[in-house]
Amino acid sequence: MAKITHVSPLAPEAFPELPEIEGVSFATVQAGIKYQNRTDLMLALLAPGSSVAGVYTRSATRSAAVLDCQEKTGGDNTEGAAIVVNSGNSNAFTGAGGVESVRQITAAVAAQLGVPEKRVFTASTGVIGELLPHEKIVSALPKLAETLSPHNMEAAAKAIMTTDTFAKAATLEVLIAGETVQIAGIAKGSGMIAPDMATMLVYIFTDAIVEQPDLQAMLSAFTGPTFNSITVDSDTSTSDTLMLCATGASGVTVNKDDAAFRNGLSKVMLDLAHQVVKDGEGATKFVEVHVTGAVSAQDARTHALSIANSPLVKTAIAGEDPNWGRVVMAVGKSGAAADRDTLSIWFGDVLVAKDGWVNPDYKEAEAAAHMKGSEVRIRADIGLGEAESTVWTCDLTHGYIEINADYRS
């Protein structure tokens, strides 16, 4: 696997100070699944009464772990639960062997921690098509159980990384009826990132009391405008897993209509989603694509993704070239309704083209100046309706090729 030797220039200045989420504890270990001299296995233990919601990849070739999690999500929450994540091997496209690996891990975790096997969730990330050495995970469980601590969330974020250049986390404190509720999450993701539940592993925790149906409803609602609105390379993984867990330890009850909690959760999810894009393999620029004036919301999204996923648009951004013709191309090829003579395009606040032709007042130096920044904004107004959509992506550099050309070596 390609060795990551530098941190993304778009990385946050520092890892956030995460609160202790009462009711959940974490442990990590070096299991040697693929990597050497780094943690690659994470365990999270949830207290009895914790609700668990999940959203997963819709890939037709999704992994055994994803299929197992999908089957278990939404069950009874009277007993505890556990989450086990390994990096370096995705346990995907491994047939009956992959199913057996999941069974062996979940059974061993249940026995070690005293939680029902139906409440043990696993995830694996890394190379596709190689059998998971699950015996290494099973043998590491006693050490993981001994070192569980509510203070280990940062270590957990580091343990689930693959080609990530920095650990990702976000947190927010929410005030509900004068009482404080904590929300904190960790994520991994860098390449093979495309909307369809996005391609990553994400674990978000709160100490609020939330019934599972309400927890699931909020998670599903906010996935669309956050994790399903990012793309690095248009490729959807076999292993996407997004889980939201509510321990209830704060004693504060929240339902799906609570505006303060909804706002806080959506902010944490969007923060994590943006961090994944900012760690896009080889990325040097964070890009917002905003499409307005489309006939329908679906058309707006289609146009936005066509622009965001275009290799020609992304390489122009990498080269700091305000080549608006490539945006014209991406809109035209998307398949959604468009009209050359009503299309307008902005780079940042600079109107470069309008009504199907270059803006007579356009000065390329102004657009070029915007392209030199670390954050680039592209807006395309289709001029046919009122619908809009926003997606986020990154540029496409030689670094992406370097990382993926020797990913398995």
Side-chain angles (χ1 to χ4, degrees), residues 5 14 16 22 32 35 46 82 109-110 167 210 285 289 323 363 368 398 400:
T5 58
E22 188 178 351
Y35 305 115
L46 294 157
V109 171
V210 192
K285 296 182 186 294
V289 178
N323 191 338
K363 294 179 178 61
H398 196 270
Y400 182 87

Side-chain angles (χ1 to χ4, degrees), residues 306-321:
S306 183
I307 296 167
N309 283 324
S310 166
L312 288 177
V313 172
K314 290 160 71 71
T315 50
I317 294 169
E320 300 179 343
D321 177 13

Side-chain angles (χ1 to χ4, degrees), residues 57-62:
T57 181
R58 289 175 288 200
S59 167
T61 55
R62 55 194 178 274

Side-chain angles (χ1 to χ4, degrees), residues 285 316-324 345-353 361-378:
K285 296 182 186 294
I317 294 169
E320 300 179 343
D321 177 13
N323 191 338
W324 52 271
I345 298 167
W346 289 257
F347 287 157
D349 295 326
V350 181
L351 177 62
V352 299
D361 300 323
Y362 171 57
K363 294 179 178 61
E364 183 159 311
E366 295 177 351
H370 176 71
M371 302 295 284
K372 291 184 183 300
S374 60
E375 298 195 359
V376 174
R377 292 178 291 114
I378 298 174

Side-chain angles (χ1 to χ4, degrees), residues 163 188-193 199 232-233 235 237 279-281 400 404:
T163 59
K188 70 82 49 185
S190 186
M192 206 182 286
I193 301 291
T199 305
V232 167
D233 48 22
D235 287 332
S237 169
D279 201 17
E281 290 169 342
Y400 182 87
N404 286 285

